Amino acid sequence: MTWPEVEAHLAQGGGVILPTGSTEQHGPMGLIGTDAFCATAVAEAAADRCGALVAPTLALTPAPFNTAFPGTLSVSEPVFRALAGEVLAGLAAQGFGPIYVLNGHGANLAPLRAAIDALPGARIRLKSWWDFEPVNALRRDWYGDWEGMHATPSEVAITMATHRQVDPPEAARIPPRPLSGDYIRAHSGDRHGPPEAHRRDFPDGRVGSHSALATPEQGRALLDAAARAVAEDYAGFASA
Ligand code: NI
């Protein structure tokens, strides 16, 4: 967009969606940009429905546990919290309202909450694209426990629909080691250990997720369900 187009949008009381993702390995058939691609695709499809603008995706975020896998780029939590805080403050200062942060990476949640809490005067809402029941119904039906924690078939399916499909190597056609309930509870929000230990424990990068269950058709349906839910949630927040 040009700046006059943005100014016209603001004159109509326009809001914005800010996608947040990551740049980290997503297993042997998931693209490194998966979290950023998913958040961006859902944000753009939701924006078409609800009339928001989409801000540039914040794709460099904390993923320290994955840096032993080539291609992963991680910034520290304080750096990401500060960057997100300045971007949100800048959007609020220009009059964007509401500001809807659409997240695609678990480790972003704590620093984003801290950045938002530091801006009490701004109208900011934080959601992840998987927060909505219509999305989760599809994830449960198609993948059950094989959704897992990382390189999930749902996120891989979305990138198959939006970017490209990678044929899984033979070893990735079979399910990964299943996770225990204790493991999932202890590691929620991507609280994983040091990078070498993480790669040793999950050598192909999948964390309990059977990525090979993904199909592009499922990706299109997940994207559509998430975009509808986000647009509805955005509209409710905008009119509150
Ligand atoms: Ni991901």
Side-chain angles (χ1 to χ4, degrees), residues 17 46 49-52 98 100 123 125 227-240:
I17 303 177
R49 294 174 174 276
C50 66
Y100 194 102
R123 286 171 66 206
R125 185 168 178 81
R228 284 171 190 272
V230 168
E232 192 178 322
D233 191 53
Y234 173 94
F237 182 55
S239 63

Side-chain angles (χ1 to χ4, degrees), residues 154-204:
S154 63
E155 62 188 349
V156 170
I158 291 174
T159 63
M160 284 177 169
T162 59
H163 288 71
R164 70 186 175 98
Q165 191 168 347
V166 178
D167 276 338
E170 208 51 50
R173 292 180 197 275
I174 58 168
R177 181 162 57 84
L179 302 177
S180 68
D182 284 348
Y183 184 92
I184 293 169
R185 275 186 291 281
H187 294 255
S188 71
D190 289 346
R191 287 193 303 272
H192 299 298
E196 285 73 24
H198 190 61
R199 180 162 175 173
R200 185 196 62 221
D201 292 346
F202 300 97
D204 75 3

Side-chain angles (χ1 to χ4, degrees), residues 25-230:
Q25 71 83 14
H26 270 76
M29 59 178 293
L31 304 177
I32 287 169
T34 292
D35 291 348
F37 296 157
C38 289
T40 306
V42 174
E44 289 177 346
D48 285 344
R49 294 174 174 276
C50 66
L53 297 190
V54 180
T57 302
L58 299 184
L60 291 174
T61 63
F65 39 87
N66 271 325
T67 53
F69 293 92
T72 298
L73 287 173
S74 175
V75 300
S76 70
E77 198 171 302
V79 166
F80 175 61
R81 185 173 62 228
L83 174 66
E86 293 196 21
V87 170
L88 291 167
L91 291 168
Q94 290 195 342
F96 284 100
I99 300 168
Y100 194 102
V101 181
L102 184 63
N103 178 53
H105 177 57
N108 293 347
L109 287 168
L112 284 171
R113 285 195 193 103
I116 292 167
D117 286 348
L119 297 167
R123 286 171 66 206
I124 306 174
R125 185 168 178 81
L126 169 61
K127 288 283 181 183
S128 297
W129 64 261
W130 55 79
D131 280 343
F132 303 94
E133 180 50 28
V135 178
N136 283 318
L138 297 177
R139 295 164 86 203
R140 274 196 307 272
D141 285 358
W142 287 330
Y143 316 127
D145 287 346
W146 287 126
E147 176 73 344
M149 294 190 81
H150 186 67
T152 64
S154 63
E155 62 188 349
V156 170
I158 291 174
T159 63
M160 284 177 169
T162 59
H163 288 71
R164 70 186 175 98
Q165 191 168 347
V166 178
D167 276 338
E170 208 51 50
R173 292 180 197 275
I174 58 168
R177 181 162 57 84
L179 302 177
S180 68
D182 284 348
Y183 184 92
I184 293 169
R185 275 186 291 281
H187 294 255
S188 71
D190 289 346
R191 287 193 303 272
H192 299 298
E196 285 73 24
H198 190 61
R199 180 162 175 173
R200 185 196 62 221
D201 292 346
F202 300 97
D204 75 3
R206 297 177 298 171
V207 182
S209 297
H210 191 359
S211 321
L213 297 176
T215 70
E217 293 73 25
Q218 292 165 353
R220 281 187 280 277
L222 285 161
L223 184 52
D224 188 61
R228 284 171 190 272
V230 168

